[in-house]
Amino acid sequence: MMRRPIIAGNWKLNKTPSQTAAFIRETAPLVSGARCEIVVCPTAACLFAAREATRGSNIALGAQNMFYEDAGAFTGEISPDSLLELGVSYVIVGHSERRALFGESDEIVNKKTLKAIEKRLKPIVCVGESALQRQLGVTEETVRIQTKLALAGLPARDAEDVAIAYEPIWAIGTGVNATSAEANSTIRCIRAVLGEIYTAELATKIRILYGGSMNAGNARDLLSASDIDGGLIGGASLNSSDFAKIALSV
Ligand code: PEP
């Protein structure tokens, strides 16, 4: 396959540094033969422990968030340079929990995406419709607007370093996943938007993941869809054997 899939675990606010290290040490041998890129995204406070534990493995590190300025009076924020020093290569941007709970607007998502690219961190930009937007039949419009706003000002030469995660909000943490056909269809729409922003050819090179109640039981079906290039996994990424099963089902 032209696009190398990514399986990324978003741990949210779970695990301490020692639990992080133990999880990674347990998981590394299970996923050493995986064909996809594997990323774990612990909390910022656990990144140092994670870095030590991932050494020599095929598990890359991601952050769950990052600020869009390098330094200054931004109490509580996380700087891109600190992430780089901690060995981070991916950063989740615009997760629906950050949008809903921490006021992250499309404009902020755009600033973070551009800053990540400037720093050579690879952003995983989350888009997805709410239950109401789905019910009203505006899923495609929603992800279309979010995608265009997130990538505004991003030059074509950098577009391949971005991954989009299509995460329907109604599917996150609910145990109800989008079917592979539903997810694939919305992801194809996102790819068409990328084709409008850039070119159709470039759009075929950008990875688009699915996230929302992906687990060891449904991963193979979801990941076999033509346009789904991996998964962003919350709950099921907290269990080593489940996460490994998902990674090995690509
Ligand atoms: C997420 O938070 O990105 C996510 C997809 O969560 P879950 O897998 O638990 O639905």
Side-chain angles (χ1 to χ4, degrees):
M1 188 200 271
M2 191 170 52
R3 299 181 296 266
R4 187 156 187 239
I6 302 173
I7 294 296
N10 170 19
W11 291 359
K12 313 190 189 200
L13 188 52
N14 290 292
K15 297 193 193 291
T16 63
S18 60
Q19 290 167 342
T20 296
F23 178 97
I24 291 170
R25 292 209 179 93
E26 186 186 346
T27 309
L30 306 180
V31 298
S32 60
R35 287 179 299 200
C36 56
E37 277 181 51
I38 299 169
V39 184
V40 292
C41 306
T43 69
C46 294
L47 285 169
F48 185 79
R51 180 196 195 179
E52 299 305 306
T54 51
R55 277 187 209 282
S57 78
N58 61 339
I59 301 177
L61 271 191
Q64 298 173 18
N65 180 35
M66 182 201 83
F67 198 50
Y68 54 76
E69 296 288 352
D70 288 332
F74 306 109
T75 302
E77 283 296 346
I78 307 161
S79 80
D81 289 328
S82 298
L83 294 183
L84 287 167
E85 247 183 56
L86 287 163
V88 168
S89 40
Y90 289 86
V91 59
I92 300 171
V93 176
H95 190 279
S96 59
E97 286 153 18
R98 296 225 43 100
R99 291 180 190 256
L101 303 172
F102 303 98
E104 209 157 288
S105 63
D106 286 316
E107 191 191 352
I108 293 173
V109 172
N110 176 242
K111 284 183 177 178
K112 291 186 174 185
T113 302
L114 297 180
K115 177 54 84 175
I117 288 291
E118 179 199 318
K119 293 289 179 175
R120 297 277 159 243
L121 287 157
K122 292 181 209 155
I124 300 175
V125 179
C126 301
V127 299
E129 81 285 6
S130 66
L132 179 63
Q133 287 163 329
R134 180 186 194 218
Q135 194 192 318
L136 296 174
V138 294
T139 294
E140 296 204 349
E141 288 93 324
T142 303
V143 297
R144 190 182 165 74
I145 291 167
Q146 289 174 335
T147 304
K148 284 210 166 180
L149 290 174
L151 302 187
L154 182 80
R157 66 169 183 275
D158 295 321
E160 272 182 71
D161 289 329
V162 173
I164 308 283
Y166 167 54
E167 296 213 308
I169 297 167
W170 51 268
I172 295 179
T174 59
V176 181
N177 59 286
T179 64
S180 54
E182 276 173 326
N184 202 49
S185 156
T186 307
I187 286 176
R188 285 176 75 96
C189 160
I190 296 169
R191 203 174 298 289
V193 175
L194 296 173
E196 284 171 27
I197 305 172
Y198 302 109
T199 62
E201 200 211 334
L202 182 49
T204 64
K205 296 181 180 160
I206 299 172
R207 292 174 291 185
I208 310 179
L209 320 182
Y210 167 76
S213 296
M214 187 184 280
N215 59 40
N218 60 26
R220 193 174 291 278
D221 177 42
L222 285 161
L223 295 169
S224 65
S226 63
D227 279 68
I228 302 182
D229 306 321
L232 181 57
I233 299 117
S237 74
L238 295 169
N239 177 286
S240 182
S241 77
D242 285 351
F243 186 59
K245 263 189 212 137
I246 297 170
L248 294 174
S249 63
V250 179

